[in-house]
Amino acid sequence: MSPTIARRAADYDGHRITVTADDGIPISVRTFGADRAPLTVVFVHGHCLRTESWSYLRDQLLRQWGTDTRMVFYDHRGHGESGMADPSTYTIDQLSHDLDTVLRTVTPTGPIILVGHSMGAMVVLAYARLFPATIGTRVVGVGLIAGAANGITEVGLGRFLHRYAVTSLQVAVMRAPRMMQASKQLSRRIFEPIVREAQFGTRKVNPRMAALATAMLNETPLLTMSSFLASLITFDETATLHRLGSIPALVLAGSADIVVPYAHSVVLASQLAGSELVRVDGAGHSVILERAEEVALSIVALANRVCAATAGQGYAATG
């Protein structure tokens, strides 16, 4: 392959890297932009999703930034192209340690903005607790999209999650994985319209977007899906929010999100001194897919706020 063709392929699909987590699990990473870019933005995806969930947003940001800002995307363990692991490691805290490994390996120096969607936003909050020394030094901004600090079982679809149901599902998956997978394939046809309604808001969405979201959910192994639920329903990082101090923060969610309702974002923003709260009217939980252009503009604005806050450190945002 000629250097020109290779460069074009990398611009479209990113530079692929495999990072090894602290317990040996391979983590699939893709990077876009110049290695020496003055700022790196790292994207942390949600439960049962993968790197492709950022594809529409990534395209918008590439138009805004080109190669001037580096972007890093990766698949969580048990998701996408990353390796499967022992189910006991499928926790938010372990994902935060995986994030730390990605940062130390792929972007060991320079300022970083962390952007998380749904469970990814929870990973960012847990990371702030586990690695507080990085906040305000390496991590100079955060984006929390369709996220929550706690209480996801109190409102929205999370009300249907409780310990007994989650434990029963986990036992069933462990004991009869083939039967459960067959059941999943059957239920896919039944529940696909419900999934689409839950992920997207009140506007009619591009069928390709709906198909992409549904495919990512359906391709996630049942063991991965069920094993993370226990960590999700007990998640509470309310006491961590102060660790983010007054670094620039974007808190964004759709007004029609029934998975993690917008009220969670209101609470988050109220407890973050440097936050900007953005409500995307009519958008659902998959706001990063259905309203990618608007979300991209908000992330660019976050980078510009980081630029203003760190002007003396030599970072200059573009776009």
Side-chain angles (χ1 to χ4, degrees):
M1 182 182 293
S2 73
T4 300
I5 294 175
R7 185 168 60 253
R8 288 174 180 171
D11 289 343
Y12 176 77
D13 202 36
H15 295 277
R16 292 178 178 267
I17 305 167
T18 299
V19 170
T20 303
D22 51 16
D23 59 352
I25 302 303
I27 305 296
S28 177
V29 182
R30 277 192 268 175
T31 68
F32 295 78
D35 289 345
R36 295 186 179 182
L39 178 71
T40 298
V41 185
V42 179
F43 296 84
V44 190
H45 71 74
H47 183 230
C48 293
L49 299 177
R50 56 196 303 176
T51 293
E52 280 76 7
S53 66
W54 299 105
S55 58
Y56 286 85
L57 179 61
R58 182 197 68 211
D59 291 345
Q60 293 289 335
L61 289 172
L62 282 171
R63 293 189 187 102
Q64 293 278 339
W65 286 332
T67 60
D68 294 331
T69 299
R70 193 170 186 231
M71 294 188 287
V72 174
F73 304 84
Y74 70 99
D75 291 332
H76 292 308
R77 60 177 57 215
H79 294 75
E81 296 180 359
S82 290
M84 301 294 289
D86 189 294
S88 66
T89 70
Y90 288 170
T91 66
I92 301 296
D93 276 11
Q94 180 59 58
L95 294 187
S96 300
H97 283 284
D98 291 348
L99 170 58
D100 180 63
T101 300
V102 170
L103 297 183
R104 286 187 289 104
T105 305
V106 177
T107 178
T109 60
I112 298 166
I113 294 176
L114 298 179
V115 178
H117 170 247
S118 190
M119 184 177 75
M122 300 177 186
V123 173
V124 170
L125 293 178
Y127 176 86
R129 167 174 52 83
L130 292 169
F131 303 95
T134 66
I135 306 303
T137 53
R138 293 296 317 284
V139 177
V140 293
V142 295
L144 306 173
I145 301 174
N150 70 337
I152 67 166
T153 61
E154 296 174 5
V155 292
L157 289 184
R159 289 176 298 170
F160 297 102
L161 292 176
H162 52 79
R163 288 179 183 273
Y164 177 76
V166 169
T167 301
S168 297
L169 176 60
Q170 290 171 335
V171 170
V173 171
M174 293 292 287
R175 289 182 176 176
R178 290 186 179 180
M179 183 183 71
M180 291 299 293
Q181 189 62 42
S183 175
K184 181 180 180 182
Q185 292 170 354
L186 176 62
S187 63
R188 177 184 303 174
R189 294 192 295 271
I190 300 172
F191 290 105
E192 187 170 315
I194 300 173
V195 169
R196 187 179 295 114
E197 182 69 21
Q199 293 295 314
F200 297 100
T202 57
R203 293 187 180 184
K204 185 176 181 180
V205 300
N206 185 318
R208 287 179 58 214
M209 294 183 185
L212 176 60
T214 302
M216 286 186 289
L217 290 166
N218 286 333
E219 289 174 5
T220 303
L222 272 172
L223 188 59
T224 297
M225 182 273 287
S226 61
S227 297
F228 275 108
L229 290 178
S231 189
L232 287 170
I233 66 174
T234 59
F235 180 80
D236 189 345
E237 292 289 351
T238 306
T240 299
L241 297 178
H242 77 279
R243 296 184 182 276
L244 294 173
S246 58
I247 67 170
L250 166 67
V251 180
L252 181 148
S255 65
D257 189 338
I258 63 173
V259 178
V260 181
Y262 178 73
H264 281 293
S265 290
V266 174
V267 173
L268 266 178
S270 71
Q271 298 180 68
L272 296 174
S275 70
E276 176 189 9
L277 177 62
V278 176
R279 169 187 167 119
V280 183
D281 288 329
H285 196 59
S286 288
V287 61
I288 61 173
L289 280 171
E290 58 176 310
R291 307 287 279 277
E293 184 174 1
E294 294 166 66
V295 177
L297 291 175
S298 291
I299 292 176
V300 169
L302 171 63
N304 289 336
R305 285 201 289 135
V306 167
C307 167
T310 60
Q313 300 174 29
Y315 167 61
T318 60

